[in-house]
Amino acid sequence: MSAEDLLHKERFEIVVMLEGSTESTAMATQARSSYIPSEILWGHRFEPIINFKKETGEYWVDYSKFNSTYEVDTPLCSAVELDQFRKIQTESVQSSRMGTPPQVTSGGGLNNFDLLRHQGEQTGKDQ
């Protein structure tokens, strides 16, 4: 399942619960939130909000960046598919050094991730 499938075709909700205690009073605190696919920003990270001043040895929090994110290079496939893709790329480079043609090539409008997914489906049918 790709990120696009997950965020645009599937129906789900992620529920997040954060529990902790205030250090000075030991008072318990809890925060809960939930997220639906349209609220998830795939390939984004939060901006750092905690800063340190060397001169004074103090930390300060920049709350103006609290909900700010920035985009990072994130694959649009699962970790398993990415691992398989990297393995195939490594094998392809090694075989090209030895003079043998690579096993997997893109074609017919499919990318390597589509080919991996198709191979996985075929393997599942064979078993």
Side-chain angles (χ1 to χ4, degrees):
M1 177 178 296
S2 70
E4 185 176 340
D5 292 341
L6 183 68
L7 297 177
H8 298 292
K9 297 177 183 175
E10 298 295 321
R11 294 182 56 187
F12 65 92
E13 182 174 13
I14 296 174
V15 178
V16 179
M17 294 178 9
L18 176 67
E19 294 185 24
S21 62
T22 305
E23 188 175 318
S24 60
T25 64
M27 181 179 267
T29 184
Q30 185 181 67
R32 285 181 269 183
S33 189
S34 67
Y35 304 91
I36 58 175
S38 63
E39 297 172 318
I40 297 172
L41 299 175
W42 187 272
H44 284 248
R45 288 193 179 153
F46 285 103
E47 292 279 352
I49 63 170
I50 299 174
N51 301 289
F52 180 73
K53 291 184 182 178
K54 287 184 181 180
E55 307 83 40
T56 60
E58 296 175 328
Y59 288 94
W60 61 280
V61 178
D62 184 357
Y63 288 104
S64 68
K65 295 182 179 180
F66 195 74
N67 288 315
S68 298
T69 64
Y70 61 97
E71 197 167 349
V72 294
D73 186 23
T74 305
L76 296 176
C77 62
S78 71
V80 171
E81 289 174 323
L82 182 60
D83 187 48
Q84 289 173 341
F85 175 75
R86 288 179 175 160
K87 182 179 176 185
I88 288 171
Q89 291 300 315
T90 301
E91 290 171 355
S92 175
V93 168
Q94 290 171 352
S95 65
S96 66
R97 288 181 184 158
M98 295 170 52
T100 57
Q103 295 290 325
V104 177
T105 58
S106 293
L110 297 175
N111 63 35
N112 286 331
F113 297 117
D114 291 329
L115 292 170
L116 287 170
R117 189 174 294 115
H118 177 70
Q119 286 175 349
E121 290 169 357
Q122 294 303 316
T123 303
K125 288 179 184 175
D126 295 340
Q127 295 175 355

